[in-house]
Amino acid sequence: MHSYWLTNSLKLLKCNKNNLWITGVRRLSATTQSSGENIQSTTPPVQPTEELDNKNNNKEHKQRSLHIAVIGVPNVGKSTFINNIINHKVCPTSGKVHTTRKANTAILTTGQTQLVFYDTPGLVTQHEIRKHHLEQSFKSAYRHAIQHADIIAVMQDASNSWTRKSLHPTVIDTLKTYAQLPSLLVLNKVDALKSKRVLLDLIKTLTNDTLRSKSAIKKISLPSESVGVRLNQRETSWNHFSDVFLVSSITGSGLQELQDYLVDCAKPRRWVYPADVYTDETPETLIVESVRARLLDYLPQEIPYNLKCELEYYNVENRVVYTSVLVQCPTPRIERLICGESNGKLRQITERVTSDLVEMFGQAVSLTITTMSGGKRNS
């Protein structure tokens, strides 16, 4: 058995004290405080029940929200885009494909508007599911997200000269299936392009030069003639995008404009989530997914897709997250590859994951990663 333990008690996220953490950590931290600290509180003056009810009703009446399904082929930057547009890391990322294996929910609440983003797995074929040992539910995850969405954001990698000029057939099929929903095109990684002419030509190609005006999307509906549209199988563009945005998830360019646009599109209705929540995932799930994402970065080829990660321990005490993750390796050779000489690589992976979790939870993290192979712990 190989393990590496890292305490990061000083590496705290520099954030406003008024900002709250994600649901699970906020709940567990509150439990720790109530058991170990003396909390002084001042009882506010009692207001009439009718007056409070009227205030709550008025507040809820002003609430608006929009649910956005972000789709695209693998590795176009969907998770990084969502993390940066909500300014909080809730979606694990890596440099390899298929980091996101199920639909994740990220929430941004600004003023009276709540934007709910669905980070979906990359659209894949059955062959890719077998190749990368993906769950069969992989293909249904994005469909489930779209069914709960008001609008579809199609993300395209503008920096990939081989694929940028055409939408993948799975993207076209998805847009055809859900043609009743409005859709917008998000060209990501535009910082890698120096020529504006290339971007303009790319927009014309992907939209068939039929881009609608921005006013169409504000009603969150498509004209009736676009519903049920049937495209030729050879078609690699979509005629019914409501708008196009040029962004860079890494530099942040264009993200504020897109956020403002989505806020304008929001519908008057009650929020689904509290204002201080960034995701509906549990801390335990985020920890395991963060470990798996970094294994994808540090291990070559198909090796990390054959690993299984599971949580062994999780607890929050005195505002420190204590956690342990077990990585099951198919062979001792792969276990040695993960650990490296004198556990050097395992130490690097642990430090990187710890940094991710500190940013994610906004508090200190003590992480242990343990490996085992052959179904037995090796000493």
Side-chain angles (χ1 to χ4, degrees):
M1 177 181 67
H2 299 273
S3 63
Y4 182 73
W5 179 77
L6 178 67
T7 302
N8 203 329
S9 58
L10 297 178
K11 200 171 185 180
L12 292 176
L13 180 67
K14 294 180 180 179
C15 61
N16 192 305
K17 293 182 180 179
N18 292 326
N19 291 339
L20 298 179
W21 308 308
I22 57 179
T23 311
V25 172
R26 178 168 54 85
R27 182 180 63 251
L28 288 170
S29 296
T31 303
T32 302
Q33 281 189 345
S34 62
S35 62
E37 298 180 10
N38 294 324
I39 303 175
Q40 295 182 350
S41 61
T42 303
T43 303
V46 178
Q47 291 181 305
T49 304
E50 184 177 351
E51 182 180 347
L52 290 174
D53 289 342
N54 289 336
K55 287 185 177 180
N56 291 333
N57 290 336
N58 290 335
K59 186 176 181 180
E60 290 181 354
H61 180 71
K62 295 179 181 178
Q63 290 180 352
R64 302 164 69 244
S65 70
L66 187 72
H67 294 222
I68 309 104
V70 182
I71 70 169
V73 296
N75 219 30
V76 294
K78 298 184 294 295
S79 298
T80 302
F81 160 76
I82 291 176
N83 285 339
N84 287 347
I85 201 169
I86 73 169
N87 197 28
H88 201 94
K89 187 178 180 66
V90 296
C91 302
T93 60
S94 80
K96 283 193 173 70
V97 297
H98 306 312
T99 304
T100 303
R101 301 175 78 98
K102 65 183 186 65
N104 298 318
T105 303
I107 303 108
L108 171 66
T109 303
T110 172
Q112 293 297 317
T113 303
Q114 186 170 90
L115 302 179
V116 180
F117 294 90
Y118 300 116
D119 181 23
T120 62
L123 303 184
V124 294
T125 62
Q126 191 63 35
H127 170 72
E128 290 172 308
I129 288 179
R130 291 192 297 268
K131 177 181 178 182
H132 295 285
H133 304 280
L134 305 175
E135 298 83 358
Q136 284 299 322
S137 59
F138 203 83
K139 292 184 71 174
S140 63
Y142 72 90
R143 296 194 188 102
H144 181 76
I146 293 175
Q147 289 167 4
H148 290 80
D150 302 307
I151 186 171
I152 301 173
V154 177
M155 184 155 290
Q156 183 84 346
D157 184 356
S159 68
N160 191 328
S161 59
W162 296 99
T163 62
R164 67 189 178 199
K165 294 182 180 180
S166 63
L167 297 175
H168 194 275
T170 55
V171 174
I172 294 291
D173 290 343
T174 302
L175 291 172
K176 288 163 56 179
T177 302
Y178 299 96
Q180 76 279 7
L181 289 177
S183 57
L184 57 91
L185 177 64
V186 181
L187 294 178
N188 192 22
K189 308 180 184 180
V190 296
D191 55 301
L193 296 180
K194 305 301 180 183
S195 172
K196 291 184 179 180
R197 175 60 64 86
V198 172
L199 285 173
L200 291 174
D201 290 343
L202 186 58
I203 292 172
K204 289 183 178 180
T205 300
L206 296 177
T207 65
N208 273 341
D209 201 15
T210 57
L211 186 63
R212 302 166 189 267
S213 66
K214 289 189 177 183
S215 59
I217 186 63
K218 291 182 179 179
K219 298 180 180 179
I220 306 299
S221 62
L222 286 175
S224 58
E225 65 269 20
S226 67
V227 178
V229 65
R230 293 293 181 265
L231 296 180
N232 188 290
Q233 289 183 354
R234 294 176 177 267
E235 193 68 55
T236 56
S237 59
W238 181 245
N239 294 349
H240 308 289
F241 284 122
S242 301
D243 218 322
V244 175
F245 287 89
L246 309 179
V247 306
S248 171
S249 297
I250 297 297
T251 66
S253 173
L255 294 184
Q256 187 61 52
E257 180 184 3
L258 177 52
Q259 178 184 318
D260 294 341
Y261 179 82
L262 294 173
V263 168
D264 289 341
C265 298
K267 297 180 177 181
R269 61 186 173 193
R270 291 183 179 181
W271 297 343
V272 177
Y273 302 96
D276 59 342
V277 170
Y278 293 101
T279 181
D280 62 354
E281 291 289 352
T282 65
E284 294 89 337
T285 298
L286 292 172
I287 290 169
V288 172
E289 290 301 305
S290 295
V291 171
R292 191 178 62 79
R294 288 309 172 192
L295 289 172
L296 288 172
D297 274 338
Y298 278 86
L299 298 177
Q301 300 174 352
E302 306 300 317
I303 290 177
Y305 297 103
N306 297 317
L307 303 175
K308 293 183 179 180
C309 302
E310 61 182 59
L311 192 76
E312 288 194 304
Y313 179 77
Y314 174 80
N315 189 32
V316 178
E317 184 177 349
N318 295 328
R319 299 175 64 86
V320 178
V321 177
Y322 295 93
T323 185
S324 176
V325 175
L326 174 66
V327 179
Q328 298 185 38
C329 310
T331 65
R333 183 185 70 84
I334 292 179
E335 183 182 13
R336 291 193 296 271
L337 182 63
I338 295 175
C339 296
E341 185 176 355
S342 301
N343 277 354
K345 181 174 289 188
L346 184 60
R347 184 181 301 110
Q348 290 179 353
I349 296 172
T350 305
E351 290 174 348
R352 191 69 182 274
V353 176
T354 302
S355 178
D356 291 340
L357 296 178
V358 168
E359 182 181 356
M360 193 174 287
F361 296 152
Q363 60 191 111
V365 174
S366 174
L367 170 67
T368 304
I369 298 180
T370 303
T371 64
M372 81 175 194
S373 60
K376 298 181 180 179
R377 294 177 178 270
N378 300 317
S379 58

